[in-house]
Every structure is written in C-alpha cells, then in structure tokens.
Amino acid sequence: MLAQPSHILFVCLGNICRSPLAEGIFRSVAATVGADNRFAIDSAGTGAWHAGSPPDPRSIQVAARHGIDISAQRARAVSAADFENFDLLLGMDRSNVETLIGRSPARAEHKVHLFLEYAGIGHRDVPDPYYGGADGFETVYRMLHEASEALASKLGARDVSAPISGQASSIT
Ligand code: 4NP
C-alpha cells in the first residue's frame, strides 16, 4: 500500500488570512488525536505581497478565541520546491487551485486539490474574508475546522484517546 500523504501545504492568495488558519487548525486537530508528529504542515500564498508578514490580526484573533496561537507564522509565497517537497497542496478556493495547477510541473499536478473537496465535505470554496468583517473570519474558522477533522480522519489520524472496543465509554 502507498504511504498516506504526510507533507501538507495549505495555500490561499495572500497567506495571511485563510491558509495560516488552516495550518494552525489542522496542526491542532492532529495534536488532539496524538498524530501531530505524523505530519509536516505549512502554508503559503500564490501571491508574494505579504511575504514576511504575520497573519492578519483578525485571523490571529479568531484562532486565539478557539485556543490556537498562529501569531508566530510568517507569510511566504509558493515556490517551485513546494511541488517536490509536499505530498498535497490544498487550495482554499478554485482560483488558488487553478493558479497552482498553472505553476505545477505535470508530474505534481495530482498533488493539487481544493481543500474542502479533498477532505470529502463538498466541492466548495473557503471564501476570502479579507475585505469583510469579523464574522467572515468566524465562518472561515468553522469551515476550516470541519475540513481539518475530515482530512485527519481521511488520512487515518484517529483519536488514540478514544475508548477501544470492549471498554466502557464515558461519552453517552
Ligand atoms: P488570504 O486573503 O488569501 O486568505 O490570505 C487575502 C489576503 C490579502 C489579499 C487578498 C486576500 N490582498 O489582496 O492583499
């Protein structure tokens, strides 16, 4: 059997709003199920305007409200090496996916997917919250959290703290 993808790059346009959140949330979900050391996770933007900048304060804030610290992340642009170094490049919206496919060597095109679709929760975009209000960031957080849990499950990261069969569960 082929090994499950383990090197995952989350990609949006600026790498300051959506993909830093996706990176932080997926890392947190993986840690919750004791699988964080199974993954190498990063994020990048198809554009380089914000390279070197921390995430948007609204992304930092919504993550912090949910107990996740993404403030140490710094934006960077997608590089040619990313198509070699990662097993999966997951775009937040269809435009990100199109841009990635356009830059990908043919041999790496199979690594590029729409995040929510690859996670199995529908052919849907994560909307760009940059020009909207704080509620847009909460909506994005929820979508990314649902998608991260679905992705972790798809990649076989299961909850090691879950009761094994035959044992009583405290969850009713
Ligand atoms: P992101 O959001 O792609 O989720 O990081 C954006 C951030 C910045 C810009 C656009 C989208 N911008 O045009 O600067």
Side-chain angles (χ1 to χ4, degrees):
M1 198 181 94
L2 284 173
Q4 290 272 29
S6 59
H7 288 55
I8 304 170
L9 185 68
F10 295 101
V11 178
C12 61
L13 181 59
N15 192 212
I16 56 168
C17 295
R18 292 165 292 175
S19 59
L21 259 182
E23 177 187 340
I25 294 168
F26 186 76
R27 186 171 285 129
S28 160
V29 165
T32 301
V33 296
D36 39 334
N37 59 4
R38 247 200 57 191
F39 296 105
I41 305 156
D42 198 4
S43 65
T46 57
W49 314 285
H50 299 283
S53 298
D56 186 288
R58 295 165 295 177
S59 281
I60 293 178
Q61 207 169 49
V62 76
R65 256 205 317 276
H66 293 276
I68 298 171
D69 182 4
I70 63 167
S71 63
Q73 291 187 36
R74 295 295 177 263
R76 71 172 181 86
V78 171
S79 72
D82 290 330
F83 294 96
E84 315 300 331
N85 295 339
F86 289 90
D87 304 318
L88 283 175
L89 293 89
L90 299 177
M92 297 296 120
D93 64 32
R94 278 163 264 207
S95 161
N96 306 146
V97 169
E98 263 178 42
T99 305
L100 286 170
I101 292 284
R103 292 194 199 160
S104 173
R107 67 178 176 282
E109 278 180 17
H110 67 281
K111 300 178 173 182
V112 178
H113 300 271
L114 186 64
F115 180 23
L116 268 53
E117 182 170 58
Y118 186 82
I121 60 168
H123 186 66
R124 291 191 286 152
D125 290 338
V126 179
D128 186 348
Y130 188 62
Y131 294 104
D135 54 333
F137 283 76
E138 180 63 33
T139 302
V140 163
Y141 177 89
R142 288 179 192 187
M143 291 177 96
L144 292 174
H145 194 268
E146 183 188 355
S148 292
E149 290 196 318
L151 179 63
S153 166
K154 173 173 177 154
L155 299 182
R158 52 181 285 281
D159 191 346
V160 292
S161 67
I164 53 172
S165 77
Q167 281 191 338
S169 168
S170 58
I171 304 160
T172 51

